[in-house]
Amino acid sequence: MLSLNPSSELWKRLSLTVGGTVAISLGLLTSVYVATLHENDLWFSNIKEVEREISFRTECGLYYSYYKEMLQATSIQQGLHGLIYDNKTESLRTINILERMNVYQEVFLSILYRILPIQNYLEPVYFYIYTLFGLQALYVIALYVTSWLLSGTWLSGLLAAFWYITNRIDTTRVEFTIPLRENWALPFFAVQIAAITYLFRSHLRPLHEKLTLLAVFISTFLFSLTWQFNQFMMLMQALVLFILDCLDILPTTKVTWLYIIQLTGILLVCVLQFFNSMILGSLLISFNVSVLLARTVQKNMKMGCLLNRLGKLFFHVLLVLCLTLLVNNFIKKILNLESDEHIFKFLKAKFGFGATRDFDANLYLCEEAFGLLPFNTFARLSDTLLFYAYLFVLLLMATAAAVLAFQNLSGSANVQSTDKMEICTIVLKPGAAYNLMHTILFGCLALSTMRMKYLWTSHMCVFASFGLCSTEVWGFVLKSVRLYTPQRLCVIRYLVPIITLLYLSYKFCPGMMDELSELREFYDPDTVELMNWIKSNTPKKAVIAGSMQLLAGVKLCTGRILTNHPHYEDKSLRERTKQVYQVYAKRSPEDVYSILRSFGTNYVILEDSICYERRHSRGCRLRDLLDIANSHIMDGLGENEPELKASLYPRFCEEIKKNLSSYSMYFTRVFQNKTFHVYKLAKHK
């Protein structure tokens, strides 16, 4: 036996070296892959600067503009002062960008670009996008490591990475929405999940446990700092911990540490964002505080018979929910917080708790990204065998979880009455239990809101690959059909993932190579013409109104002052956007002029794609949402609510093009092409 130990240790080190090398290689290959796709799709290296900037669509352009501002400032101090006292993002207002938005990553990158000796070799835009593509390497490595930790073999990490890449359409959108906040945040979220999975291993050395907690804290903090939706994602994570802790599946001490880390991380971000009230009023803070308070009240919750424990559990859940609502309402009343009310209006309408005429809620409801997950997603995931493998593993693990939860609640965890219960207990280790509940809750989130699918599908790769390489899962299956032997177990846990990898390589590698050789070019001449005209023909301090998606590009490309923008997390901005959008409603020219001038507007951009929109069905076009909010009858054939009335005025964006005197006395057309019409507002009323 003594002679075997050195060879066993050598084998472990060799496996760790090979597995680590494969992880890093796959991460770097993924990074190069998405960077090449981005270059081939836009011919990014050959297009003009204005075209590069226009390619950062909607809010992506807004975030990148702050990176550009920091680099254009004469010093780092002046750049930071410009962000803290910003008067260009919203006209007639001075706002703190660092408080309102999650742009510390742009600040950090701009400072890094200044101090590194790379200015002569690398353009600022490439430093920015290569950083994001580099984070994809970190993302894939974290997924790989999580799967490896769960299964005990790096082969499952290899399969997870392969599935992530072959399902790229459903696992990431980094190559065409580079500056989007989720592309910064999700790699750190994946690192956090890997660290939590390792933390829940039994018999960790004290030093390893402390280092792991530090890794969890750093990744939690970076995730929270880089995405405005951090509080909602971590609330889901806190619910995972709460459910498993209540069922006595996770060690309570480690769960408590994770609650504290979440609170500490989000509060530190709150301080860095100048005590952002939306963070202070988040349900995450209220929930975590309530859980920790409830624990001090119910100290013996995990003792007693089944009925006794179920009663205690019911009371504990009720206490936590009531405390959460009380704490949250108390904080919001003190802070007079209304910034997130649109989210709750949207959720209320989405899940059928009454129809709404609220413009903001309907704007979300009508966007495909906030709708249900389309069924064709499952067809694509099934084509790579991912969905089938995921369902297989999920069914087995959920069964094991149900048995283990019953054992724990009935107090029979230490009494293994049947072979099946013994197997179930072995299958569901704390790390696997955490990932099981994580994938279930985030799966529900993705099914209800398509935009959140990227949180689920990437973890789906991890969970499915872990199951196919797991000795516990295959041991459970083989024992269930009475075919278990150690040799068969060893063969099947390696053979199934290898066959899957060969299938993926055979079916998808040729298509991926074709994709890499397919060349396209950026083409949006109308927007380029508009941006060039604004830059050449309007004063630098001109205030421009328009759709929030377009204005993000206007800010980035021209530096002009905006009336509104796509970062929709502020109540006053949402009201302002609704008012600016009256240019697409049925309002009089006097009303529209008065509204626009109240925001200091000098020019307004009208888009035919919005005025004559056909992308959405009747009732979801922007002009319809405005009509409903204004209590006006919608255009076209179809039903209208009985309370809606005909407007006294025609639609502004259509009527203004007729050059009637009632309009031309307020608005003068100064630019037009096939897509855009720019009108200058008269200086008099």
Side-chain angles (χ1 to χ4, degrees), residues 19 22-23 25-26 29 140 143-145 147-148 151 153-165 461 465 469 497-498 501 504-505:
V22 172
S25 300
L26 280 172
L29 282 172
V140 170
L143 298 176
Y144 181 108
V145 169
S147 186
W148 186 357
S151 67
T153 172
W154 57 263
L155 185 62
S156 67
L158 178 62
L159 181 56
F162 258 70
W163 262 329
Y164 178 83
I165 295 166
C461 301
S465 61
C469 297
I498 288 171
L501 284 166
L504 293 174
S505 301

Short mmCIF file of all heavy atoms in Angstrom, two decimals, residues 19 22-23 25-26 29 140 143-145 147-148 151 153-165 461 465 469 497-498 501 504-505:
data_model
loop_
_atom_site.label_atom_id
_atom_site.label_comp_id
_atom_site.label_asym_id
_atom_site.label_seq_id
_atom_site.Cartn_x
_atom_site.Cartn_y
_atom_site.Cartn_z
N GLY A 19 -5.47 18.62 -16.87
CA GLY A 19 -6.80 19.25 -16.82
C GLY A 19 -6.72 20.76 -16.79
O GLY A 19 -7.50 21.44 -17.47
N VAL A 22 -5.73 22.02 -20.26
CA VAL A 22 -6.88 21.95 -21.18
C VAL A 22 -7.85 23.08 -20.90
O VAL A 22 -8.39 23.71 -21.82
CB VAL A 22 -7.58 20.58 -21.05
CG1 VAL A 22 -8.89 20.56 -21.84
CG2 VAL A 22 -6.66 19.46 -21.55
N ALA A 23 -8.10 23.37 -19.61
CA ALA A 23 -9.02 24.45 -19.23
C ALA A 23 -8.55 25.80 -19.78
O ALA A 23 -9.33 26.54 -20.40
CB ALA A 23 -9.15 24.52 -17.71
N SER A 25 -6.41 26.36 -22.19
CA SER A 25 -6.39 26.33 -23.66
C SER A 25 -7.78 26.55 -24.24
O SER A 25 -7.95 27.33 -25.19
CB SER A 25 -5.83 24.99 -24.15
OG SER A 25 -4.52 24.78 -23.67
N LEU A 26 -8.78 25.87 -23.65
CA LEU A 26 -10.15 26.04 -24.14
C LEU A 26 -10.66 27.46 -23.89
O LEU A 26 -11.37 28.02 -24.74
CB LEU A 26 -11.07 25.04 -23.45
CG LEU A 26 -11.06 23.62 -24.01
CD1 LEU A 26 -11.86 22.69 -23.10
CD2 LEU A 26 -11.63 23.59 -25.43
N LEU A 29 -9.01 29.64 -26.51
CA LEU A 29 -9.59 29.35 -27.83
C LEU A 29 -10.97 29.97 -27.97
O LEU A 29 -11.32 30.50 -29.03
CB LEU A 29 -9.67 27.84 -28.05
CG LEU A 29 -8.36 27.14 -28.42
CD1 LEU A 29 -8.53 25.63 -28.42
CD2 LEU A 29 -7.87 27.60 -29.80
N VAL A 140 -15.30 30.54 -19.44
CA VAL A 140 -15.23 29.13 -19.83
C VAL A 140 -14.40 28.33 -18.82
O VAL A 140 -14.77 27.21 -18.46
CB VAL A 140 -14.65 29.00 -21.26
CG1 VAL A 140 -14.34 27.54 -21.59
CG2 VAL A 140 -15.62 29.57 -22.28
N LEU A 143 -16.58 27.68 -15.76
CA LEU A 143 -17.56 26.62 -16.03
C LEU A 143 -16.88 25.25 -16.01
O LEU A 143 -17.41 24.28 -15.46
CB LEU A 143 -18.23 26.86 -17.38
CG LEU A 143 -19.05 28.15 -17.54
CD1 LEU A 143 -19.57 28.29 -18.96
CD2 LEU A 143 -20.22 28.19 -16.55
N TYR A 144 -15.73 25.19 -16.64
CA TYR A 144 -14.93 23.96 -16.71
C TYR A 144 -14.58 23.47 -15.30
O TYR A 144 -14.77 22.29 -14.96
CB TYR A 144 -13.68 24.27 -17.52
CG TYR A 144 -12.70 23.14 -17.75
CD1 TYR A 144 -12.56 22.56 -19.01
CD2 TYR A 144 -11.85 22.68 -16.74
CE1 TYR A 144 -11.63 21.55 -19.25
CE2 TYR A 144 -10.93 21.68 -16.97
CZ TYR A 144 -10.82 21.11 -18.22
OH TYR A 144 -9.90 20.13 -18.46
N VAL A 145 -14.08 24.38 -14.47
CA VAL A 145 -13.66 24.02 -13.11
C VAL A 145 -14.85 23.58 -12.26
O VAL A 145 -14.75 22.62 -11.49
CB VAL A 145 -12.92 25.21 -12.45
CG1 VAL A 145 -12.70 24.97 -10.96
CG2 VAL A 145 -11.59 25.46 -13.15
N SER A 147 -17.63 22.12 -13.22
CA SER A 147 -18.01 20.77 -13.64
C SER A 147 -16.99 19.74 -13.14
O SER A 147 -17.34 18.65 -12.69
CB SER A 147 -18.12 20.71 -15.16
OG SER A 147 -18.61 19.46 -15.59
N TRP A 148 -15.72 20.10 -13.22
CA TRP A 148 -14.63 19.23 -12.74
C TRP A 148 -14.77 18.98 -11.23
O TRP A 148 -14.64 17.85 -10.76
CB TRP A 148 -13.30 19.89 -13.07
CG TRP A 148 -12.06 19.09 -12.80
CD1 TRP A 148 -12.00 17.84 -12.23
CD2 TRP A 148 -10.71 19.48 -13.06
NE1 TRP A 148 -10.69 17.43 -12.14
CE2 TRP A 148 -9.87 18.41 -12.64
CE3 TRP A 148 -10.12 20.61 -13.61
CZ2 TRP A 148 -8.49 18.46 -12.75
CZ3 TRP A 148 -8.74 20.66 -13.73
CH2 TRP A 148 -7.93 19.60 -13.32
N SER A 151 -17.78 16.53 -10.59
CA SER A 151 -17.68 15.15 -11.09
C SER A 151 -16.41 14.43 -10.65
O SER A 151 -16.37 13.21 -10.59
CB SER A 151 -17.75 15.14 -12.61
OG SER A 151 -16.59 15.77 -13.16
N THR A 153 -13.60 14.62 -12.42
CA THR A 153 -12.77 14.40 -13.60
C THR A 153 -12.82 15.61 -14.51
O THR A 153 -13.89 16.20 -14.72
CB THR A 153 -13.22 13.14 -14.38
OG1 THR A 153 -12.50 13.07 -15.62
CG2 THR A 153 -14.70 13.16 -14.68
N TRP A 154 -11.66 15.97 -15.07
CA TRP A 154 -11.64 17.14 -15.95
C TRP A 154 -12.29 16.87 -17.30
O TRP A 154 -12.55 17.79 -18.08
CB TRP A 154 -10.21 17.65 -16.16
CG TRP A 154 -9.21 16.67 -16.70
CD1 TRP A 154 -8.32 15.94 -15.98
CD2 TRP A 154 -8.99 16.34 -18.07
NE1 TRP A 154 -7.55 15.16 -16.81
CE2 TRP A 154 -7.94 15.39 -18.11
CE3 TRP A 154 -9.55 16.75 -19.28
CZ2 TRP A 154 -7.45 14.84 -19.29
CZ3 TRP A 154 -9.07 16.21 -20.47
CH2 TRP A 154 -8.04 15.26 -20.47
N LEU A 155 -12.62 15.60 -17.58
CA LEU A 155 -13.33 15.27 -18.82
C LEU A 155 -14.70 15.96 -18.86
O LEU A 155 -15.17 16.40 -19.91
CB LEU A 155 -13.50 13.75 -18.94
CG LEU A 155 -14.13 13.23 -20.24
CD1 LEU A 155 -13.26 13.58 -21.44
CD2 LEU A 155 -14.34 11.72 -20.15
N SER A 156 -15.34 16.06 -17.69
CA SER A 156 -16.64 16.75 -17.64
C SER A 156 -16.48 18.24 -17.91
O SER A 156 -17.34 18.88 -18.52
CB SER A 156 -17.31 16.52 -16.29
OG SER A 156 -16.58 17.16 -15.26
N GLY A 157 -15.34 18.81 -17.45
CA GLY A 157 -15.07 20.22 -17.76
C GLY A 157 -14.89 20.43 -19.25
O GLY A 157 -15.36 21.43 -19.81
N LEU A 158 -14.22 19.49 -19.89
CA LEU A 158 -14.04 19.56 -21.34
C LEU A 158 -15.38 19.52 -22.06
O LEU A 158 -15.63 20.29 -22.99
CB LEU A 158 -13.16 18.38 -21.79
CG LEU A 158 -12.87 18.24 -23.29
CD1 LEU A 158 -12.11 19.44 -23.82
CD2 LEU A 158 -12.09 16.96 -23.55
N LEU A 159 -16.26 18.63 -21.61
CA LEU A 159 -17.59 18.53 -22.22
C LEU A 159 -18.41 19.79 -21.98
O LEU A 159 -19.11 20.27 -22.88
CB LEU A 159 -18.32 17.30 -21.65
CG LEU A 159 -19.72 17.00 -22.19
CD1 LEU A 159 -19.70 16.86 -23.71
CD2 LEU A 159 -20.28 15.74 -21.54
N ALA A 160 -18.32 20.36 -20.76
CA ALA A 160 -19.04 21.61 -20.45
C ALA A 160 -18.59 22.74 -21.38
O ALA A 160 -19.42 23.49 -21.90
CB ALA A 160 -18.81 22.00 -18.99
N ALA A 161 -17.27 22.84 -21.59
CA ALA A 161 -16.74 23.89 -22.47
C ALA A 161 -17.19 23.67 -23.92
O ALA A 161 -17.55 24.62 -24.61
CB ALA A 161 -15.22 23.91 -22.39
N PHE A 162 -17.18 22.42 -24.37
CA PHE A 162 -17.63 22.11 -25.73
C PHE A 162 -19.09 22.49 -25.91
O PHE A 162 -19.49 23.05 -26.94
CB PHE A 162 -17.42 20.62 -26.02
CG PHE A 162 -16.22 20.33 -26.88
CD1 PHE A 162 -14.94 20.52 -26.37
CD2 PHE A 162 -16.36 19.90 -28.18
CE1 PHE A 162 -13.82 20.27 -27.14
CE2 PHE A 162 -15.25 19.64 -28.97
CZ PHE A 162 -13.97 19.82 -28.46
N TRP A 163 -19.90 22.14 -24.92
CA TRP A 163 -21.32 22.47 -25.01
C TRP A 163 -21.54 23.99 -25.00
O TRP A 163 -22.40 24.50 -25.71
CB TRP A 163 -22.07 21.82 -23.86
CG TRP A 163 -22.74 20.53 -24.26
CD1 TRP A 163 -23.23 20.20 -25.49
CD2 TRP A 163 -23.01 19.39 -23.43
NE1 TRP A 163 -23.78 18.95 -25.48
CE2 TRP A 163 -23.66 18.42 -24.22
CE3 TRP A 163 -22.76 19.11 -22.09
CZ2 TRP A 163 -24.07 17.18 -23.72
CZ3 TRP A 163 -23.17 17.88 -21.59
CH2 TRP A 163 -23.81 16.93 -22.40
N TYR A 164 -20.77 24.69 -24.20
CA TYR A 164 -20.89 26.16 -24.16
C TYR A 164 -20.60 26.75 -25.54
O TYR A 164 -21.31 27.65 -26.01
CB TYR A 164 -19.93 26.73 -23.12
CG TYR A 164 -19.93 28.24 -23.03
CD1 TYR A 164 -20.88 28.91 -22.28
CD2 TYR A 164 -18.99 29.01 -23.73
CE1 TYR A 164 -20.90 30.29 -22.20
CE2 TYR A 164 -19.00 30.39 -23.66
CZ TYR A 164 -19.96 31.03 -22.89
OH TYR A 164 -19.96 32.40 -22.84
N ILE A 165 -19.58 26.24 -26.20
CA ILE A 165 -19.18 26.80 -27.50
C ILE A 165 -20.16 26.40 -28.60
O ILE A 165 -20.56 27.23 -29.42
CB ILE A 165 -17.74 26.33 -27.84
CG1 ILE A 165 -16.74 26.91 -26.84
CG2 ILE A 165 -17.36 26.77 -29.26
CD1 ILE A 165 -15.37 26.26 -26.89
N CYS A 461 -24.85 23.65 -19.18
CA CYS A 461 -23.68 22.94 -19.70
C CYS A 461 -22.89 22.28 -18.58
O CYS A 461 -22.44 21.13 -18.69
CB CYS A 461 -22.76 23.90 -20.47
SG CYS A 461 -23.53 24.72 -21.87
N SER A 465 -22.93 18.09 -18.00
CA SER A 465 -21.63 17.43 -18.15
C SER A 465 -21.20 16.77 -16.84
O SER A 465 -20.62 15.67 -16.85
CB SER A 465 -20.57 18.44 -18.61
OG SER A 465 -20.41 19.47 -17.65
N CYS A 469 -20.55 12.48 -16.21
CA CYS A 469 -19.23 12.01 -15.76
C CYS A 469 -19.20 11.63 -14.29
O CYS A 469 -18.14 11.36 -13.73
CB CYS A 469 -18.17 13.08 -16.02
SG CYS A 469 -17.94 13.50 -17.75
N PRO A 497 -19.34 10.44 -22.05
CA PRO A 497 -18.87 11.79 -22.42
C PRO A 497 -17.94 11.79 -23.63
O PRO A 497 -17.98 12.73 -24.43
CB PRO A 497 -18.15 12.28 -21.17
CG PRO A 497 -17.91 11.10 -20.33
CD PRO A 497 -18.98 10.12 -20.65
N ILE A 498 -17.11 10.74 -23.78
CA ILE A 498 -16.22 10.69 -24.94
C ILE A 498 -17.02 10.56 -26.23
O ILE A 498 -16.74 11.24 -27.23
CB ILE A 498 -15.20 9.53 -24.79
CG1 ILE A 498 -14.17 9.89 -23.72
CG2 ILE A 498 -14.49 9.25 -26.11
CD1 ILE A 498 -13.25 8.75 -23.34
N LEU A 501 -18.56 13.89 -26.96
CA LEU A 501 -17.56 14.82 -27.50
C LEU A 501 -17.25 14.52 -28.96
O LEU A 501 -17.12 15.44 -29.78
CB LEU A 501 -16.28 14.75 -26.66
CG LEU A 501 -16.31 15.44 -25.30
CD1 LEU A 501 -15.13 15.01 -24.45
CD2 LEU A 501 -16.32 16.95 -25.46
N LEU A 504 -20.20 15.79 -31.03
CA LEU A 504 -20.17 17.25 -31.15
C LEU A 504 -19.08 17.70 -32.13
O LEU A 504 -19.30 18.60 -32.94
CB LEU A 504 -19.94 17.89 -29.78
CG LEU A 504 -21.05 17.74 -28.74
CD1 LEU A 504 -20.61 18.29 -27.40
CD2 LEU A 504 -22.33 18.42 -29.20
N SER A 505 -17.92 17.06 -32.06
CA SER A 505 -16.82 17.41 -32.96
C SER A 505 -17.18 17.10 -34.41
O SER A 505 -16.92 17.91 -35.31
CB SER A 505 -15.55 16.65 -32.57
OG SER A 505 -15.18 16.94 -31.24
#
